[in-house]
Amino acid sequence: AQIEEAVRLFQQAADADDAEGWRALGYCHEQAVVFPQDNAQALKYYLKAAVAGNRWAYANLGYCFAHGLGTARRDDWAIECYRRAARTGVSPAMAKLGRLYQEGVGVVRDYPRAVAWLERASALGESEASFDLAMLVARGQGTARNMKRAAELLRLSAERGNTDAMNAWAVCLLNGWGVEKDQRQALD
């Protein structure tokens, strides 16, 4: 009953031309909350919210274009949407943009630019960004190679719940990579 009430309120907000209401309805359609999953409808709501100035809607649009949800996959549009959201401080968009620069998806691979976006997203609490940044720092891609810093980023990402980072942090502890070797802590 609470979920249905929440969706009713989102609909009421959207009916009053509220951009966050449109974005929330888009999410409900994308994630099949009350409605059947309908990515095309989600995309329409996200677009309406973005045009109305909702900065988070650009991140949602970026995800839709990156994964072909409700539309054909368009890496160039995904990049543009993630950029718009990232420039306004949307940390998940910063993390996605950093990864796209890291992997060269939709853009020319640019490790320094990837590092810059991942640094910002990591500082705002994005565990995925901390993990990706740790991998770049460990390899010296786009920044100086620094195993101590990489290990610290892995620890931070692991504490934020990233399971890839948990495993990598444990390997660092077992082998003494960037940290004092501590097999007991690694196995805890």
Side-chain angles (χ1 to χ4, degrees):
Q2 287 180 308
I3 293 173
E4 289 81 5
E5 176 65 7
V7 172
R8 187 188 69 71
L9 291 168
F10 292 145
Q11 184 66 61
Q12 192 174 10
D15 290 345
D17 289 333
D18 179 76
E20 181 56 26
W22 290 323
R23 191 187 77 82
L25 284 177
Y27 181 82
C28 291
H29 282 281
E30 179 188 344
Q31 298 298 317
V33 176
V34 176
F35 305 106
Q37 185 176 27
D38 185 344
N39 291 326
Q41 190 64 32
L43 184 74
K44 288 177 188 175
Y45 279 119
Y46 291 149
L47 185 56
K48 197 168 186 174
V51 168
N54 185 293
R55 62 193 184 118
W56 284 86
Y58 280 106
N60 296 116
L61 282 172
Y63 187 83
C64 289
F65 289 126
H67 297 279
L69 301 178
T71 185
R73 181 177 169 161
R74 290 291 306 262
D75 291 334
D76 56 336
W77 289 7
I79 292 286
E80 182 55 34
C81 289
Y82 284 141
R83 270 192 195 124
R84 285 182 183 219
R87 288 179 180 150
T88 64
V90 178
S91 59
M94 293 175 191
K96 295 291 186 194
L97 193 55
R99 175 162 291 172
L100 293 174
Y101 278 114
Q102 177 183 356
E103 296 174 352
V105 175
V107 293
V108 174
R109 181 174 281 157
D110 185 335
Y111 292 126
R113 191 169 282 168
V115 166
W117 282 115
L118 293 170
E119 288 273 10
R120 290 177 67 189
S122 178
L124 292 171
E126 291 296 322
S127 66
E128 176 185 319
S130 299
F131 176 77
D132 288 347
L133 182 59
M135 296 297 100
L136 292 173
V137 170
R139 293 187 297 258
Q141 294 174 312
T143 188
R145 185 172 190 270
N146 183 332
M147 287 305 292
K148 184 176 180 179
R149 181 161 181 256
E152 178 59 26
L153 287 163
L154 288 172
R155 183 194 60 74
L156 181 65
S157 182
E159 287 175 355
R160 292 174 175 164
N162 185 300
T163 56
D164 290 330
M166 290 174 193
N167 291 311
W169 171 237
V171 169
C172 288
L173 291 168
L174 281 172
N175 294 295
W177 294 341
V179 294
E180 187 175 322
K181 195 173 192 174
D182 187 345
Q183 291 179 343
R184 276 195 199 277
Q185 185 179 355
L187 299 174
D188 282 342

